Amino acid sequence: MAKAHKIAWGIDVGDCTIKALKLGVTPDGVEVLDFAALEHETILTQPDVEPQQRVELVSAAVSRLAQSYDLSNSAVVVAVPGQNSFARFVKLPHTDKKNIPRMVAFEAGQQIPFDIKDVEWDWQVFQEPDQPDVEVGIFAIKSDLVKIALEPFSDAQITIDSVQMSPMALYNFVVYEKKLSAATQNEAVIALDIGVDNTDLIIADGTRIWQRTIPVGGNHFTEAVQKAFKLGFNKAEAIKRTANTSKYARQIFQAMRPVFADLAAEIQRSLGYYSSSKRDVQFREVIAMGNAMKLPGLVKFLQQSLSLPVKRMDNFDQLSLSPEVSVSQFTENVPSMGVAYGLALQGLGLARVESSLLPKEIARRTQWRKKRIWFIAATAAFCFSALLALFQAYSQSADIEEAQNNTGAISSMTNTLNQRRSAVGAAQAAVTKAQKEIARHLQPYGPRIIVPKILQAIRGCLPGPDYTEDSQQLALYEAFANGDLEGILALNRGEREQVFLSNIKIIYTDNLYKSFDEVTKGWESAGAGNRGRTPAGGGGGMMMDMGMMDMPMMDMGMGMPGMGMGMGMGMGMGMPGGRGAGSSRTVVDTFDRTSKDPVPGFVVVIEGSTPHKDDLQFLEPSNVKYERDKWGFFQRLRYLGLSDQEIRAQDKKDKPAPAAVPGQNKPFALPTAPPATAPGQAETVAAEVAIPEAVANLPFNAFVDPEDKLTWYFDTTEGGWLSGKPEDKQPEGIGVLKVEEPVRTTGRTGVWNPMAGGGTHTATRKNVPDLPIYIDPLTMEPISDTYVMEDNGEIKFENNEPAVENHDYWFRVKLKIQLKPEAGKDKG
């Protein structure tokens, strides 16, 4: 937390005007001590303004500010534009507070879309009282941008205490001015600040922030007038500013009306997106900020378009004015002072968001200048103390000489010193041991690219153009890539070689010898719940559609709980026994692991589905031996990162399998080599192929216990038909439930004929329940169980029971991954 001051300046450098507000803390509250609104000689975003000229114009305005107003003896907080900065809110798992900085540093490296060495970043914890959830805001800006923004202040010899993003400063202003708190979290206040080129939109509900920058600003209104009246930019700007008093006000308003409509449409879109995820929050009012809000009819137009009360900010309820401040002049500039208000609050220590993007070297220089007088005083005190000590030493020399003659006392002191040195050595050894233990636990996280590479490796296991030469499947992948719905439907759903992934969890464990249940406890998804999937396709590509920047709802933790991931494609595979409604498998494992050293690594849990009619045989074809080109999705995962030689070597080390327990499947064993052929006969095993480059370059590989064949290192036992009434273990995120209207289906021909939007099968005989249906949101085809329908539209019955047809098959596959020895050395 930054040090609070009694007086603070908030300075907002806009493209048209520098806005500055000086606030002070009094016994009665916060008071406006001074303010400034200094226009640049020309608008900075005009096409004819060069970058160097822009810097000179800002420097000139900042110099005028420093010469005309007293900025000394007060904190100075400066804003940087929201479109040039980065903000992300991340929820952390429950942990001790001492672990939060390390976890935030890891998240920052994953979230910030630039090299961490090239940015200035800060973070802040947001936690509601009596709530266990911890949310962290991560804020960043590229170092070169913030240095350019601060250069005019350095030239003007203005000491900067903090740098804040404009949207966060606007949020601080809204929270303080409207007295928002946890008690008002079900009521949201919307703030609009229209700048020259962009509009900052902030939604504050008392505990959370939602922010978006809309690419519509004051210049767009000017350009509309310029185009309508065929004028130069400067003259059109002058006409826009005097529209209220112009006799052509009506014509001016009509010229700007399309821009009004674009702005209102973008705001409505943003509010609709926010409401879809926060249905329990009601919008209270819209605060209109920025000089563009003075345009005739804009506030009324927004109020009618949004169906919400829109209030132009003409005064601040929580601030009082100093007698030296002109009321009329300040009121005239109130609409443009929102960001400066929030910045000054941060300087006073009254802001909700207190992060600062001030570069470290500038912050150190600032602290040195402020503490220089104390260093001088401390130096003087030190010199005086040294002289005093010298005098005392001289005066007591006789006593010291006498003490030196006392050899017994010296010997005792020597023994005491040696004992203390031994204690220090023991403590240092303990510290070294602890550091090694910490390093061992942190080793898997050393290379920051491990998690993205795991995801990339999983993507590479998905079937697609690289694994088939079938023209129909290649056409299917191309149709997915191009969003060609007709091309997708051209191939029956049951024939499509596709795999859809709805969830991937990557969980670190300090010992891969632990069972899957031990590692994944508390991470498994259960029940269908509120389902939904982001469709994707074409060549096995991964899509993560995050929509607009919904900072409070972003959840990108290590386990990625609840995050929909669509990966379109498919290939074949299968387990003995064909398809069925899920299975459980128990293995008798008598192997003693107590003597084994722990192996750290990751457990990966992948959930998804396939439309292919061969289900498990499609996912894991049998009897393919070492023929990589015939492997399916599960086999590519099972042997991830292993060469043919390593697979064959493991095959030779496997122990004989124990007798199967009655009623249970045999444990999986690596494929065995065929018997040796007689001399002169052709080799029956597929030719040994070189290890693929993608496999050789992976910094990890699938974990296989080299001594114990029964160790669960790969699990494909959970799966079954997708059902509208799902079993407890059926994953979430697969398909969309439709329940509005009855539907018909013509079996596995791929024809899906929704009536009025699709829905459930409505029974046509008594005592037959309605069957909820999940559909593919892209193709609108059913993917869960459906009744088989006769040509007359009634349900087909077999043996007095309604006939049910299956469609997509769901699965949950688990595997273990260990880092290669050289991976831990990669500083990535």
Side-chain angles (χ1 to χ4, degrees), residues 70-88:
D70 182 14
L71 303 180
S72 62
N73 300 321
S74 60
V76 177
V77 184
V78 176
V80 290
Q83 67 269 24
N84 293 337
S85 50
F86 169 88
R88 184 65 49 83

Side-chain angles (χ1 to χ4, degrees), residues 188 190 192 263-265 267-269 271-272 275 282-287 298-311:
I190 305 158
L192 295 174
L263 177 61
I267 296 171
Q268 286 176 324
R269 179 168 172 261
L271 299 187
S275 297
Q282 300 294 322
F283 295 125
R284 191 167 83 188
E285 62 177 325
V286 178
I287 300 175
L298 178 55
V299 171
K300 183 178 179 181
F301 183 87
L302 291 177
Q303 187 160 307
Q304 292 174 346
S305 301
L306 304 178
S307 300
L308 289 171
V310 179
K311 177 184 176 183

Side-chain angles (χ1 to χ4, degrees), residues 209-448:
I209 313 167
W210 194 94
Q211 174 262 334
R212 183 191 174 206
T213 298
I214 298 174
V216 178
N219 271 359
H220 295 80
F221 295 101
T222 304
E223 290 167 1
V225 174
Q226 182 183 12
K227 183 177 179 181
F229 295 99
K230 296 180 174 55
L231 301 172
F233 184 90
N234 292 334
K235 193 158 186 178
E237 178 71 13
I239 290 176
K240 181 191 75 173
R241 294 191 181 194
T242 59
N244 279 329
T245 58
S246 174
K247 62 180 180 179
Y248 302 106
R250 183 178 182 82
Q251 291 89 332
I252 297 173
F253 176 77
Q254 288 298 329
M256 294 187 295
R257 189 177 183 86
V259 184
F260 285 15
D262 289 344
L263 177 61
E266 288 296 324
I267 296 171
Q268 286 176 324
R269 179 168 172 261
S270 300
L271 299 187
Y273 181 83
Y274 179 87
S275 297
S276 67
S277 58
K278 299 279 286 184
R279 299 184 183 277
D280 57 335
V281 176
Q282 300 294 322
F283 295 125
R284 191 167 83 188
E285 62 177 325
V286 178
I287 300 175
M289 303 291 294
N291 287 325
M293 286 298 178
K294 298 177 183 179
L295 292 174
L298 178 55
V299 171
K300 183 178 179 181
F301 183 87
L302 291 177
Q303 187 160 307
Q304 292 174 346
S305 301
L306 304 178
S307 300
L308 289 171
V310 179
K311 177 184 176 183
R312 188 176 74 181
M313 188 59 65
D314 293 322
N315 65 285
F316 296 137
D317 296 333
Q318 305 305 321
L319 300 181
S320 60
L321 294 182
S322 170
E324 290 77 21
V325 176
S326 170
V327 175
S328 60
Q329 292 181 4
F330 182 75
T331 302
E332 179 68 16
N333 288 281
V334 161
S336 63
M337 288 290 176
V339 172
Y341 186 166
L343 296 172
L345 287 175
Q346 183 169 345
L348 296 177
L350 301 176
R352 179 76 61 83
V353 178
E354 301 174 327
S355 59
S356 176
L357 302 178
L358 185 68
K360 304 279 189 305
E361 64 271 23
I362 297 178
R364 284 193 290 267
R365 287 201 301 267
T366 299
Q367 293 297 323
W368 169 255
R369 281 196 293 266
K370 291 186 175 181
K371 296 179 178 180
R372 184 167 49 190
I373 187 171
W374 299 105
F375 280 111
I376 294 174
T379 302
F382 174 79
C383 292
F384 176 78
S385 300
L387 291 173
L388 182 61
L390 183 61
F391 175 77
Q392 290 177 338
Y394 180 77
S395 63
Q396 296 175 359
S397 59
D399 296 335
I400 294 174
E401 184 176 351
E402 182 179 353
Q404 289 177 340
N405 294 328
N406 191 341
T407 56
I410 294 175
S411 177
S412 176
M413 293 175 63
T414 301
N415 292 335
T416 301
L417 180 60
N418 290 334
Q419 292 174 359
R420 291 180 179 177
R421 285 176 177 171
S422 298
V424 170
Q428 289 176 338
V431 169
T432 301
K433 181 179 179 181
Q435 288 174 336
K436 290 181 178 179
E437 183 68 13
I438 292 171
R440 186 178 70 83
H441 285 286
L442 292 179
Q443 179 183 359
Y445 295 101
R448 295 180 303 182

Side-chain angles (χ1 to χ4, degrees), residues 18 28 69 82 91 120 177 215 248 262 358 456 500 503 517 550 565 590 594 755 758 791 812:
I18 285 186
D28 299 326
Y69 297 85
K91 283 188 177 179
E120 301 294 337
E177 181 67 17
Y248 302 106
D262 289 344
L358 185 68
Q456 185 179 16
F500 295 95
N503 202 354
D517 289 342
D550 187 0
M565 307 179 76
T590 59
T594 57
M755 299 171 60
D791 292 339
R812 181 180 292 112

